[in-house]
Amino acid sequence: SQTIHQWPATLVQPVGSPLSLECTVEGTSNPNLYWYRQAAGRGLQLLFYSVGIGQISSEVPQNLSASRPQDRQFILSSKKLLLSDSGFYLCAWSLGVHQPQHFGDGTRLSIL
Amino acid sequence: SQQGEEDPQALSIQEGENATMNCSYKTSINNLQWYRQNSGRGLVHLILIRSNEREKHSGRLRVTLDTSKKSSSLLITASRAADTASYFCATADNAGGTSYGKLTFGQGTILTVHP
């Protein structure tokens, strides 16, 4: 069966520091991959999605970037974190267009 | 503005009662999905209903879709304390096949089921 792993579960970082969040999927090939951010008590905002290795689409302009160095690995990065980058970051995968998405357990990022 | 908007924002009921949550959206869709999120966790997919379907069941869940009114409802029957969670609707649009499965989520309904 397919599984998705996200780490770390929680992270506290100072303003201006770099960021790297990792997501890996097991048990499937060539999944669509997604990064979302969820503000407290709010819905999800799609940040990036990828349909293949090296193919990244950005949904909103921001201080973050994403990369897909391997088929089942999706990385969210920042060179310098801002206070506004705080939030709950969720990675998800799907088998394709118009299919259900399956989420990791998220990373809670706090910027001090 | 959000594509999917849930109503009510919060719902508090007793165990055994039914819970109904509504979702409205604005554009043409390929399908609408409902997800559940327990506090501090990721989302779990519950059910997907396609634009040519009107009703779908899964266990104690019943979802309806009215494309003419651009609305959907999620009914949870005989609720349990374990159903306490946030519930989100998400729409997949019909953007000419280039949407890559992008979903637009609503703000969610917080359901509390009291034992």
Side-chain angles (χ1 to χ4, degrees):
Chain A
S1 63
Q2 302 93 348
T3 56
I4 179 168
H5 303 280
Q6 262 190 265
W7 66 93
T10 59
L11 190 59
V12 180
Q13 292 285 99
V15 170
S17 64
L19 173 74
S20 180
L21 302 181
E22 190 162 342
C23 170
T24 59
V25 179
E26 296 177 358
T28 188
S29 297
N30 197 30
N32 286 358
L33 296 172
Y34 309 87
W35 276 112
Y36 291 90
R37 178 168 57 206
Q38 184 178 29
R42 306 279 291 175
L44 277 68
Q45 179 187 38
L46 179 63
L47 302 176
F48 300 96
Y49 67 90
S50 172
V51 299
I53 296 175
Q55 300 180 59
I56 308 294
S57 295
S58 173
E59 283 296 293
V60 293
Q62 59 209 317
N63 184 41
L64 302 168
S65 61
S67 61
R68 185 171 178 172
Q70 299 180 46
D71 180 44
R72 290 169 291 177
Q73 184 184 29
F74 206 21
I75 297 172
L76 184 69
S77 304
S78 174
K79 292 181 180 177
K80 281 188 175 183
L81 286 168
L82 306 172
L83 283 174
S84 57
D85 291 324
S86 292
F88 191 47
Y89 288 83
L90 290 154
C91 180
W93 69 272
S94 72
L95 285 176
V97 177
H98 302 145
Q99 296 297 313
Q101 292 186 13
H102 308 278
F103 287 79
D105 275 339
T107 295
R108 187 159 305 280
L109 176 64
S110 299
I111 311 298
L112 304 179
Chain B
S1 60
Q2 289 291 327
Q3 164 73 328
E5 298 192 4
E6 289 90 344
D7 169 55
Q9 292 186 342
L11 182 60
S12 182
I13 59 175
Q14 295 295 126
E15 237 179 2
E17 294 180 342
N18 295 343
T20 299
M21 289 159 268
N22 303 297
C23 171
S24 61
Y25 58 92
K26 293 181 171 61
T27 63
S28 173
I29 62 170
N30 176 280
N31 67 73
L32 185 144
Q33 303 177 30
W34 285 92
Y35 289 80
R36 164 195 170 125
Q37 183 181 33
N38 284 43
S39 181
R41 303 297 299 273
L43 278 71
V44 175
H45 178 262
L46 295 176
I47 201 163
L48 181 154
I49 186 166
R50 302 196 185 281
S51 60
N52 60 352
E53 298 175 308
R54 292 295 167 260
E55 188 171 312
K56 208 161 182 180
H57 297 256
S58 176
R60 293 185 295 113
L61 305 181
R62 172 177 170 256
V63 169
T64 61
L65 179 64
D66 187 335
T67 53
S68 66
K69 295 182 180 178
K70 291 186 168 58
S71 67
S72 173
S73 67
L74 170 67
L75 168 66
I76 303 174
T77 59
S79 64
R80 306 166 182 167
D83 294 328
T84 295
S86 294
Y87 291 82
F88 295 89
C89 70
T91 52
D93 63 28
N94 264 328
T98 61
S99 63
Y100 300 117
K102 292 186 291 183
L103 295 177
T104 303
F105 286 82
Q107 299 302 305
T109 292
I110 300 171
L111 173 65
T112 303
V113 182
H114 300 280

